[in-house]
């Protein structure tokens, strides 16, 4: 006979209620290559990646129907193998995979499942992984810059503060509308860091931005400023009515130098590989950017 508490709930009912209180994380193998890498473990019993993804999607929908929150983490087989080696775990065990997934929930790239299809969720998860990797990479490079030989200030921290100030001025002076910003910084040969930031306009006109996106964007801009690397920042403003406006700056010294309307047009309407002209977009204005005002540094020592 099932136990019943004072409220009349059975054990089974209480367990069902408790399941809705427990958040879960699923480590997802997003591509065929990673899926094949996991098949070397006998305890990993899936044989077809497409079927695996369908099963994951069915599970996500079932959990959502029960009112259970689920987070999706990017499962990387190489990182998993390293994790098992360091922790002294048997990699060919489902318990080890579950423990690694729990670590991903805390430290790895994740996205919440909110009823979207896997076709929509997978790109978001990959983007989050790229964003986190970019932030970690730029942060490590900024930390290696050390201190200024003249004043002793931490160069990476100073550059990040400067970049955050510039980003704030760009958003504050932008025309009304949703803003789509792209920052690119060229480093070593064949290496270009690119970061994207979306700033949706709130009803009161203030920009709403994702903190993780802003952190990555600021770190990429800071690295360009600190290392005086070639780079640029482009902002596309989409108002509620009227044409989109595109503005641009180049990284110059320790700041941003505005591009003319003609330079913005050339940048957008020239094929990068061939140098041939590309037809401009319709309903788009290529414009000189707003004056950033007091972003200019005072005379004297700068890093």
């Amino acid at each position: 006979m099932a136990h019943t508490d004072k409220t009349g709930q059975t054990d089974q009912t209480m367990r069902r209620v408790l399941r809705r209180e427990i958040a879960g994380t699923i480590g997802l193998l997003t591509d065929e290559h990673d899926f094949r890498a996991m098949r070397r473990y006998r305890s990993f019993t899936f044989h077809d990646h497409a079927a695996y993804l369908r099963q994951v999607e069915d599970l996500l929908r079932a959990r959502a129907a029960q009112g259970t929150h689920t987070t999706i983490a990017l499962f990387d087989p190489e990182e998993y193998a390293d994790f098992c080696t360091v922790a002294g775990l048997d990699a060919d065990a489902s318990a080890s995979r579950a423990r690694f997934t729990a670590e991903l929930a805390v430290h790895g790239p994740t996205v919440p499942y909110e009823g979207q299809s896997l076709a929509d969720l997978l790109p978001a998860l990959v983007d989050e992984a790229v964003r986190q990797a970019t932030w970690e990479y730029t942060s490590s490079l900024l930390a290696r810059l050390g201190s200024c030989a003249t004043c002793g200030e931490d160069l990476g921290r100073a550059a990040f503060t400067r970049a955050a100030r510039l980003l704030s001025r760009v958003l504050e002076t932008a025309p009304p509308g949703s803003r789509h910003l792209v920052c690119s910084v060229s480093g070593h040969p064949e290496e270009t860091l690119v970061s994207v930031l979306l700033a949706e306009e709130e009803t009161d006109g203030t920009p709403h931005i994702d903190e993780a996106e802003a952190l990555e964007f600021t770190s990429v801009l800071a690295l360009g400023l600190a290392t005086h690397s070639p780079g640029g920042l482009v902002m596309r403003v989409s108002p509620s009515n009227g044409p989109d406006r595109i503005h641009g700056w180049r990284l110059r010294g320790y700041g941003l130098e505005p591009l003319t309307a003609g330079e913005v047009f050339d940048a957008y309407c020239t094929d990068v590989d061939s140098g041939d002209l590309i037809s401009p977009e319709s309903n788009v204005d290529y414009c000189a950017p707003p004056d950033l005002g007091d972003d200019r540094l005072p005379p004297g020592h700068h890093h």
Side-chain angles (χ1 to χ4, degrees), residues 173-227:
T173 59
S178 297
R179 299 116 190 193
H180 180 273
L181 292 84
V182 178
C183 181
S184 59
V185 173
S186 300
H188 301 294
E190 311 249 337
E191 179 188 69
T192 299
L193 293 174
V194 179
S195 181
V196 176
L197 178 65
L198 300 178
E200 299 291 343
E201 191 173 51
E202 301 281 15
T203 54
D204 61 358
T206 58
H208 171 75
I209 58 177
D210 181 89
E211 291 185 6
E213 285 187 8
L215 187 64
E216 180 220 6
F217 191 94
T218 305
S219 66
V220 170
L221 178 57
L223 184 63
L225 296 174
T227 58

Side-chain angles (χ1 to χ4, degrees), residues 1-4 11:
M1 182 174 178
H3 171 74
T4 303
D11 291 341

Side-chain angles (χ1 to χ4, degrees), residues 133-146 155-164 166 183-188 191-195 215-232 251 253-255 303:
T134 301
W135 176 77
E136 292 174 351
Y137 177 67
T138 53
S139 296
S140 66
L141 293 181
L142 288 170
R144 293 178 197 167
L145 295 176
L155 294 174
R157 187 178 297 114
F160 190 90
T161 300
R162 172 68 172 155
L166 287 171
C183 181
S184 59
V185 173
S186 300
H188 301 294
E191 179 188 69
T192 299
L193 293 174
V194 179
S195 181
L215 187 64
E216 180 220 6
F217 191 94
T218 305
S219 66
V220 170
L221 178 57
L223 184 63
L225 296 174
T227 58
H228 300 278
S229 300
L251 272 63
Y254 208 50
H303 306 115

